[in-house]
Amino acid sequence: MTDENTAAEHPAIEVNGVPAAAAPRPGQCLRTFLREQGALGVKKGCDAGDCGACTVHVDGLPVHSCIYPAMRAEGRAVTTIEGLAAACPGHGRGPGEGLHPMQGRFLDAQGFQCGFCTAGMVMTAATFDDAQLADLPRNLKGNLCRCTGYAAIGRAVLGSADATAPARPDRGAVGEDVPAPAGRRIVTGAERYTLDVTDAEVPRGAAGLAHLKLVRSPHAHARIRSIDAAPAFAVPGVLAVLTHEDAPDVLYSTAQHELETDDPADTRLFDTTVRFVGQRVAAVVGETVAAAEAGVRAVVVDYEVLPPVLTAGAALAPGAPLVHGDKDAAASGIADPARNTVAELHSEVGDVEAGLAGADVVYENTFRTQRVQHVALETHCAIAWTEGDPRDGGALVVRSSTQVPFLVQRSLARLFGLARERVRVVTGRVGGGFGGKQEVLTEDVAALAALRLGRPVQLELTRAEQFQATTTRHPFEIRVRAGARRDGTLTALALDVVTDTGAYGNHGPGVMFHGCNESVSVYRCANKRIDARAVYTHTVPAGAFRGYGLSQTVFAVESAIDELAAGIGMDPLQFRRRTMVRRGDPMIASHAEPEEDVLYGSYGLDQCVDLVTKALRRGRARETRELGPDWLVGEGTALSMIDTVPPRGHHAHSRIAVLADGRVALDVGTAEFGNGTSTVHVQLAATALAGLGIAAADIVLRNADTALTDHDTGAFGSTGTVVAGKATLAAAEELARRIRAFAAEARLPLPARDGGLVAIAAEASRRGVVLEAEGRWGGTPRSVAFNVHGFRVAVHRGTGELQILQSVQAADAGVVVNPRQCRGQVEGGIAQALGAALWENVRIDGTGRVTTDILRQYHVPTFADVPRSEVYFAQTADALGPFGAKSMSESPFNPVAPALANALRAATGIRFTELPLTRDRIYLALREAGRPLPARPDPVTA
Ligand code: FES
């Protein structure tokens, strides 16, 4: 065959107007081909055509490139996000040069948080005509976003950005809608996420980047008799097979906390006992992903299968198989390995039985919440490599999708016996976390392989692995007993909680303790009791999830509060007003003494209740829909409180310096994963530097790199603003003092306008003076933040269909640093909570296997599923937070499910005690209660 014939049969794929240098490999999908051609804006979210993060245009039509064979694109023009502006006749008309109008709209409206979905969203929306723009729920159904709740995306696509939000605010001070520093890079596909590295950064090809895949257990409980790696080594391209014989025999927890003793040391990198379906058994490293995958299939493992225990109830039964019966309680930090109990809590204040006896109404019921997956669009991934010998002056470097780079650094150093400073962990932009990336799930094994092979090794989990082998929200079973008097006094509140932590105890104790704290301490009641146990089972481990246990217990407590209100004949919000804590009240869960370091830095719960009350009233008044007699309508509300910082210390460090060109370099330890931290830090610094010629746009931020700052506990528990932000504020205030002092000494005038720091910077440089400062914060004392949610819903008597007629949330976030961004966090939290309240459920079959391991089996809310929510903020200023700010990232999730269940109760008279509130569950409950309409005649047989 001649070259001409080959060229005719395989014409080149044109990528962004340029013929690709290479031809696709047989069977290769277009996504991987395009990324190999350098189009790193094309993302991988599922590899199954479900999420749309990989959307590109082929001859102008949007396709999911992960399920589009690359060879089908031969001879066609492919456009990625990087080439969109140039490919569109209207390019250049955006707010900046070289933007497609749709990119400009996303930038104007800030239609993103982590931004991992943004390229795909823009590519899809860029093809819409007017008719498609008029029906976004239908036309955006192929693109998922886990962060925004779609409200900001809808505003972006329709070009309806806030009229009140200027494209470039005056200075970028606190209170302004400052755009995210990375915004332009996000909408153009230039922002670099974890695996978006160039050949120059991590070389590919011979002796370059190798790929790691994991052999996983098919059994829920088994002992490994032997592993035969020889067949894998026979696969071309396989470089190494690593098993327990190659891994350090060190017990640790995948959970990452400031205090390592917060979590039990119950996990080995590779173990000889497997405790859930999907647990790592061995790693295969190959020259390519395909070679590594073929090697995984070839490894032969001989298991001695053991009986598993798959539910918390079964795990607590006498004689149950033990999940960690081989562990010593004291050494491992497990409360009672012989009872499958990783942690427990029993405490009482007052006398609950007396409180119940003295009540006019007593309510008692059991509530159940399910496993929920984070579904961050970027899966867990890491690249590890060495720079010299880490034991001899070199370094182990890990680029990871993590919320906690410094804690990962500490864990890797301990695991591999390295000095901490010989390990560097760095993030790119992280594509969503929601608590799921407060773990070490990829870094350890990638590092093991890199140390063994001496070459870069990449591990990227598939979407199926995310479901099977990362972490979920803890399933809770909560028995509530509560009593009230007719005057609205809460006389008793008792919870008996069992949480299922799965096969390992990562976050098991913390989630249990936190779940049993603010959900109870938000109420004034003399008699409270908590009994709680966190229980091991042979199932996929649970972990940190937005709300950290509160969303589960708040569902139970807020349902019970509504039932008590109904029992004493009082409006539920009126009952809450009477019983919720007021400023100055002790915040007591079930210990006689409240936590000393939690203070009312501010208090806006009363405002939140008022805001929701008024919004629901307005909504009722303006409601014009005629739903007809088949629909039952009801309203429901719920409240929640959250400590603004996790307990027992949370540390942050920031460093700030004047650059020679008059701009300011700001290095912060905390990570950005869609929580908006980078924008907030720039605003805090700009505000502290007011009057010195520095605006937000002049501040160059770097973050989440252990080489840049001192220790930072990480981005979880909504600490990016109230802990790391305090460190940045302290640094910026000190820098402002130093600049003023230097200017006075040098007899230079203070700058009168933005950019005016150049003269001072030049003089400092001439004199050899470095104008810099650093700031730290340790996380205490802590304050409290509040959220109140209200729904008005309609339920169809005959089908169980649920319509959300109105959704409103009021939040007490203290001084809101960036109103547009904070509203987006609330909207995103509501949407994620709606998913957990209505649809999402990680199902496990009778063998322990997760059966919902692709997105189309697991209902992440789409654009069409999420109603628009009204968001209001209380007017408070926190005495503890930076410039009066409080946390507001995870807490909007917490009151959503109970508010929805309470609205359903009001509409139907039925108390739903188990999540999710699926249409089937509602239908069956209606039928059981005798509520459905008479069966309609079947149109076929009638
Ligand atoms: Fe859409 Fe994060 S912004 S997935």
Side-chain angles (χ1 to χ4, degrees):
M1 188 183 294
T2 65
D3 286 349
E4 289 78 26
N5 283 340
T6 304
E9 288 172 24
H10 297 284
I13 300 173
E14 187 184 293
V15 181
N16 296 326
V18 178
R25 295 186 296 277
Q28 187 175 26
C29 75
L30 184 56
R31 181 187 65 79
T32 59
F33 175 78
L34 291 170
R35 285 184 63 87
E36 286 176 6
Q37 302 308 305
L40 299 177
V42 184
K43 300 300 186 221
K44 170 184 173 177
C46 65
D47 260 4
D50 294 327
C51 78
C54 63
T55 304
V56 300
H57 297 172
V58 176
D59 286 344
L61 292 175
V63 302
H64 288 180
S65 61
C66 69
I67 53 171
Y68 192 97
M71 281 183 173
R72 268 180 60 192
E74 287 175 341
R76 298 174 187 271
V78 177
T79 305
T80 71
I81 189 73
E82 291 93 340
L84 179 64
C88 171
H91 78 91
R93 291 205 310 258
E97 279 297 302
L99 290 182
H100 182 280
M102 190 55 70
Q103 291 171 315
R105 289 181 179 190
F106 269 76
L107 194 55
D108 275 352
Q110 297 283 286
F112 50 80
Q113 285 177 19
C114 81
F116 203 76
C117 70
T118 308
M121 288 280 180
V122 169
M123 294 304 289
T124 300
T127 64
F128 288 172
D129 58 23
D130 287 348
Q132 290 168 307
L133 286 172
D135 190 2
L136 294 185
R138 175 186 296 271
N139 291 302
L140 275 179
K141 69 182 179 193
N143 290 80
L144 297 178
C145 175
R146 192 53 157 170
C147 299
T148 62
Y150 302 100
I153 288 172
R155 290 191 286 270
V157 174
L158 297 174
S160 54
D162 274 351
T164 55
R168 191 182 191 285
D170 288 338
R171 294 203 57 264
V174 164
E176 295 179 4
D177 285 334
V178 176
R184 187 182 172 88
R185 297 195 300 276
I186 287 171
V187 303
T188 56
E191 182 70 348
R192 293 286 172 251
Y193 294 80
T194 312
L195 300 185
D196 299 337
V197 290
T198 63
D199 287 4
E201 292 163 302
V202 181
R204 291 162 203 273
L209 187 66
H211 296 268
L212 188 154
K213 286 288 173 182
L214 291 160
V215 178
R216 295 189 180 278
S217 169
H219 305 292
H221 190 197
R223 203 166 291 125
I224 295 170
R225 289 199 191 101
S226 65
I227 299 175
D228 183 2
F233 280 112
V235 175
V238 166
L239 300 167
V241 178
L242 304 171
T243 71
H244 57 271
E245 293 179 355
D246 305 288
D249 185 14
V250 175
L251 281 168
Y252 62 102
S253 176
T254 61
Q256 302 294 295
H257 281 112
E258 180 64 31
L259 292 182
E260 289 178 277
T261 50
D262 279 359
D263 302 280
D266 59 7
T267 305
R268 287 183 175 84
L269 199 155
F270 289 119
D271 209 329
T272 51
T273 298
V274 288
R275 298 179 175 86
F276 69 98
V277 176
Q279 180 171 326
R280 300 167 180 176
V281 170
V284 178
V285 187
E287 293 285 1
T288 63
V289 172
E293 287 176 341
V296 163
R297 288 192 293 273
V299 171
V300 177
V301 185
D302 182 20
Y303 296 97
E304 176 194 355
V305 179
L306 302 169
V309 58
L310 300 178
T311 65
L316 288 171
L322 297 180
V323 182
H324 287 281
D326 58 329
K327 305 288 191 311
D328 174 75
S332 59
I334 298 170
D336 191 349
R339 289 171 51 237
N340 284 323
T341 301
V342 63
E344 57 187 316
L345 165 67
H346 304 282
S347 65
E348 183 167 8
V349 61
D351 184 337
V352 162
E353 298 308 326
L356 292 171
D360 294 318
V361 173
V362 170
Y363 179 74
E364 186 169 349
N365 214 332
T366 300
F367 295 81
R368 293 180 181 84
T369 63
Q370 80 283 29
R371 288 181 181 82
V372 175
Q373 233 285 332
H374 310 77
V375 193
L377 228 50
E378 180 195 45
T379 61
H380 286 73
C381 52
I383 305 173
W385 67 92
T386 52
E387 293 175 353
D389 182 351
R391 288 187 173 77
D392 189 19
L396 167 68
V397 184
V398 180
R399 182 178 166 95
S400 168
S401 177
T402 182
Q403 298 173 223
V404 286
F406 290 82
L407 300 185
V408 173
Q409 176 202 37
R410 184 181 68 185
S411 289
L412 294 179
R414 191 166 84 83
L415 193 51
F416 295 109
L418 298 171
R420 192 167 170 181
E421 62 273 16
R422 302 267 59 93
V423 180
R424 178 185 172 203
V425 178
V426 60
T427 73
R429 191 177 180 89
V430 177
F434 315 112
K437 293 174 179 171
Q438 196 189 334
E439 306 269 355
V440 168
L441 294 175
T442 55
E443 300 91 340
D444 51 352
V445 67
L448 174 71
L451 288 167
R452 177 61 64 94
L453 295 175
R455 53 188 283 190
V457 176
Q458 173 176 309
L459 171 58
E460 179 181 23
L461 299 193
T462 64
R463 183 56 60 187
E465 286 177 299
Q466 290 289 121
F467 280 105
Q468 295 160 350
T470 63
T471 59
T472 71
R473 183 173 77 158
H474 283 71
F476 273 41
E477 182 175 297
I478 307 148
R479 183 86 186 150
V480 184
R481 293 187 300 149
R485 284 203 301 264
R486 295 207 185 282
D487 64 359
T489 304
L490 188 63
T491 61
L493 181 56
L495 303 187
D496 192 340
V497 177
V498 176
T499 81
D500 183 346
T501 198
Y504 293 93
N506 44 306
H507 296 283
V511 165
M512 183 197 76
F513 284 114
H514 189 238
C516 294
N517 193 48
E518 292 101 298
S519 57
V520 174
S521 61
V522 73
Y523 284 108
R524 311 162 88 207
C525 178
N527 308 299
K528 297 177 178 175
R529 178 167 182 85
I530 306 277
D531 292 284
R533 285 158 293 179
V535 176
Y536 284 122
T537 59
H538 289 108
T539 60
V540 60
F545 187 99
R546 198 172 197 162
Y548 212 63
L550 279 181
S551 72
Q552 298 95 316
T553 51
V554 169
F555 171 58
V557 171
E558 291 301 298
S559 297
I561 290 291
D562 251 43
E563 290 296 335
L564 288 178
I568 61 174
M570 189 176 282
D571 173 78
L573 273 183
Q574 181 59 21
F575 182 48
R576 286 188 173 85
R577 275 197 191 90
R578 288 184 64 89
T579 53
M580 68 196 194
V581 289
R582 297 166 202 163
R583 187 172 192 137
D585 282 345
M587 291 175 272
I588 294 175
S590 59
H591 297 282
E593 294 301 320
E595 291 178 278
E596 276 181 6
D597 66 340
V598 182
L599 308 173
Y600 291 96
S602 57
Y603 176 84
L605 179 55
D606 51 351
Q607 290 185 49
C608 290
V609 170
D610 288 345
L611 286 164
V612 169
T613 304
K614 289 173 184 166
L616 286 174
R617 193 181 301 144
R618 285 195 301 272
R620 227 176 289 139
R622 69 169 179 258
E623 185 65 67
T624 56
R625 273 169 284 194
E626 284 295 335
L627 289 166
D630 288 355
W631 292 89
L632 303 163
V633 176
E635 286 180 5
T637 54
L639 61 76
S640 64
M641 177 171 80
I642 193 166
D643 297 344
T644 56
V645 183
R648 296 185 297 284
H650 195 108
H651 299 276
H653 178 235
S654 297
R655 201 173 262 131
I656 192 165
V658 175
L659 296 169
D661 62 5
R663 293 183 300 159
V664 164
L666 173 60
D667 291 340
V668 300
T670 195
E672 169 67 67
F673 56 99
N675 47 352
T677 300
S678 50
T679 321
V680 165
H681 280 244
V682 163
Q683 284 183 262
L684 294 172
T687 306
L689 293 165
L692 294 172
I694 291 292
D698 304 315
I699 297 172
V700 183
L701 180 98
R702 297 184 298 180
N703 68 337
D705 181 342
T706 58
L708 289 179
T709 65
D710 294 347
H711 178 76
D712 182 290
T713 304
F716 60 90
S718 299
T719 50
T721 296
V722 293
V723 179
K726 288 269 278 192
T728 288
L729 180 56
E733 287 177 337
E734 177 59 24
L735 181 65
R737 273 191 290 276
R738 292 182 183 184
I739 292 171
R740 288 197 172 91
F742 176 78
E745 187 195 326
R747 299 179 184 281
L748 288 171
L750 290 176
R753 56 179 175 75
D754 289 350
L757 199 58
V758 177
I760 291 176
E763 180 61 16
S765 175
R766 195 184 66 76
R767 295 186 183 200
V769 173
V770 179
L771 289 171
E772 64 180 1
E774 56 186 336
R776 299 174 195 277
W777 186 244
T780 55
R782 304 177 284 152
S783 187
V784 281
F786 301 97
N787 298 78
V788 178
H789 202 97
F791 283 111
R792 194 170 65 266
V793 304
V795 184
H796 194 276
R797 297 170 193 265
T799 65
E801 181 185 345
L802 174 74
Q803 280 191 38
I804 293 175
L805 305 176
Q806 187 183 10
S807 168
V808 52
Q809 184 162 133
D812 174 20
V815 170
V816 180
V817 176
N818 187 319
R820 175 172 54 187
Q821 187 172 281
C822 194
R823 184 174 67 176
Q825 291 295 322
V826 176
E827 290 168 340
I830 295 169
Q832 195 173 36
L834 278 172
L838 290 171
W839 305 290
E840 296 181 36
N841 191 359
V842 177
R843 293 181 181 278
I844 290 177
D845 69 13
T847 69
R849 190 176 70 89
V850 171
T851 58
T852 47
D853 62 357
I854 59 175
L855 287 173
R856 72 189 58 171
Q857 295 167 330
Y858 181 84
H859 188 152
V860 169
T862 67
F863 192 101
D865 292 322
V866 183
R868 298 291 86 90
S869 290
E870 302 163 45
V871 176
Y872 302 96
F873 293 110
Q875 300 294 312
T876 62
D878 198 76
L880 304 173
F883 291 122
K886 294 198 280 193
S887 56
M888 194 48 63
S889 293
E890 60 178 322
S891 61
F893 189 102
N894 296 334
V896 171
L900 200 55
N902 289 340
L904 268 170
R905 165 72 162 84
T908 64
I910 301 169
R911 169 55 59 193
F912 289 85
T913 58
E914 189 166 353
L915 299 177
L917 304 165
T918 60
R919 181 168 164 167
D920 287 354
R921 184 164 275 151
I922 296 170
Y923 168 78
L924 291 171
L926 285 167
R927 195 174 70 171
E928 193 176 320
R931 300 285 199 289
L933 293 172
R936 296 175 192 278
D938 185 327
V940 177
T941 57

